[in-house]
Amino acid sequence: MAPRQLKRLEGELASFLESSFSGLGRVERRRAMDWYVNGLLLEGERKSIDPVAGRLMEEAGEQEAMRQRLQQCVSGSAWADEEVRRRLALKLEADLPGIEALVPPPEQPSQM
């Protein structure tokens, strides 16, 4: 997804992330999770922490600081996986009542 496309989703994405992660850990980790999800959504082949940090920050020093934040969030956080999955299921159930299956469309080639 291009940065301008992500910008258009800003409010809706923030609301979704808040409903998924609020109250689950420290504020700093919650903020890092927001950055991580944004970085995953941005265009780029690799979805590991280093490339994600590079997509979020332009300067090398900032990239390293972001990499450390993301690393701490992803590998060091004590997220309650079951609680996050429960919240996601409740949100999907509320947003899509009566749906029995959700199949994502095939991935489209990136258009620049």
Side-chain angles (χ1 to χ4, degrees):
M1 166 178 304
R4 63 177 159 53
Q5 292 171 307
L6 187 57
K7 182 76 172 161
R8 281 185 275 179
L9 294 176
E10 196 172 75
E12 189 175 348
L13 181 58
S15 176
F16 172 77
L17 292 171
E18 179 67 24
S19 69
S20 299
F21 298 108
S22 69
L24 297 178
R26 297 173 44 186
V27 173
E28 297 84 9
R29 289 183 181 156
R30 163 76 174 77
R31 198 170 309 131
M33 182 56 75
D34 289 355
W35 290 323
Y36 182 63
V37 170
N38 277 273
L40 289 174
L41 292 173
L42 289 170
E43 293 173 345
E45 291 295 316
R46 295 189 54 224
K47 301 298 183 181
S48 57
I49 290 174
D50 287 338
V52 167
R55 287 192 282 275
L56 294 170
M57 299 294 170
E58 292 182 17
E59 294 183 30
E62 291 177 344
Q63 286 179 11
E64 178 57 23
M66 179 58 72
R67 187 196 67 73
Q68 290 177 12
R69 286 185 202 108
L70 297 178
Q71 183 71 38
Q72 180 67 25
C73 173
V74 172
S75 66
S77 294
W79 296 103
D81 294 345
E82 298 82 17
E83 178 61 18
V84 173
R85 286 190 199 110
R86 185 187 74 77
R87 290 178 184 196
L88 178 59
L90 289 173
K91 176 141 182 62
L92 287 173
E93 195 173 89
D95 290 351
L96 305 168
I99 195 163
E100 293 184 25
L102 182 64
V103 179
E107 191 170 315
Q108 299 295 315
S110 177
Q111 296 180 4
M112 296 193 168

